[in-house]
Amino acid sequence: MAHLKHLLLFLSVGITVSTGIDLHKRIYGGHNCPKGEHLYYVKITAENETAGKLCGGSLIHPQWVLTAAHCWIPGMDMYAFVGIHPRPLFGINLPHHSHMKKVRVTSGVFFQDNDGLHDIMLVKLPTPSEITPVALPDCLHPPQKGDVIKVAGLGGYSVDVNNNKLADEPSHLQCANMRVVDCGRFLMATYGVYVPYWNRMCLQEPQVDTCHGDSGGGVIYNNMIYGVLSGGGNHACTRPAISVKVCSYLDWIKLTINGK
């Protein structure tokens, strides 16, 4: 578990080659998320005295966050940062940022069947949030191959000289568009969790990728959440990003958040 890699948004506006590590590459084709969008984005961290891991998540109910199961690290303290976007200017917590909270979460609800633990998880907040959740999907009209979806994350947005993704965190939530593509039959690192091929939705766009830290973030189409970011390649922009289809688990999600 110590080598879990969480996937985040990664893009770059230009290539500045140096003999060392270039820490200034920005998300390819990406941008700071508009202040009024993705307010339901939740930052998930696993922390202890010597290490920390970063993921994303989405409020789908005032008290429930949808994220990836591999973001839960046993033995580490788990936290949810609600109201992380937009961030205060210059670190000042202005009145319109008063909803920003860091809360400890003590357990996750996982989906498991005979094939194993699937890479999707629900986390319950100690108290309801006042932030409007993202809408659950219309599974009769999901995104199709070629459709443009939205992703957002706080994952690393830098690469080394060999174009390998690095762990990092931008100062603002990053947004980008990607397109739905065929997943293919390539293998993926599953971090001890399972993503059935038929439950995957894959995303790709030239010069756009997900990276370390974006796992668990939502895949948004028509202002509804249709996917949870799960995995991809370590080398930037060479393989599709993999997300878990929310529609495949919608009945379980509804039963969980309704307490049934």
Side-chain angles (χ1 to χ4, degrees), residues 228-244:
V228 174
L229 291 173
S230 177
N234 286 329
H235 198 70
C237 301
T238 56
R239 284 169 45 171
I242 297 174
S243 70
V244 182

Side-chain angles (χ1 to χ4, degrees), residues 70-181:
H70 77 258
C71 294
W72 192 271
I73 312 296
M76 299 183 77
D77 296 331
M78 302 296 303
Y79 294 95
F81 295 73
V82 182
I84 195 72
H85 175 70
R87 291 189 176 183
L89 296 174
F90 310 108
I92 301 173
N93 195 15
L94 300 176
H96 60 285
H97 294 290
S98 59
H99 59 269
M100 186 185 298
K101 294 179 181 178
K102 176 183 180 181
V103 296
R104 186 169 181 178
V105 290
T106 57
S107 64
V109 182
F110 304 89
F111 184 96
Q112 188 166 3
D113 61 15
N114 292 335
D115 294 314
L117 183 68
H118 293 217
D119 199 15
I120 191 165
M121 173 176 67
L122 284 162
V123 175
K124 190 174 184 179
L125 301 176
T127 57
S129 170
E130 296 179 358
I131 297 171
T132 302
V134 64
L136 289 171
D138 173 5
C139 295
L140 295 177
H141 302 94
Q144 303 296 317
K145 181 181 176 181
D147 285 340
V148 176
I149 56 81
K150 296 181 178 181
V151 291
L154 287 168
Y157 59 105
S158 303
V159 294
D160 63 18
V161 294
N162 295 316
N163 217 31
N164 292 314
K165 302 171 186 179
L166 300 173
D168 199 4
E169 184 176 342
S171 57
H172 296 281
L173 186 67
Q174 296 295 295
C175 280
N177 294 336
M178 300 181 79
R179 293 182 187 273
V180 179
V181 298

Side-chain angles (χ1 to χ4, degrees), residues 176-200:
N177 294 336
M178 300 181 79
R179 293 182 187 273
V180 179
V181 298
D182 288 333
C183 287
R185 291 288 180 174
F186 59 83
L187 299 175
M188 62 172 285
T190 56
Y191 320 113
V193 295
Y194 179 59
V195 185
Y197 178 78
W198 49 89
N199 289 359
R200 299 179 188 180

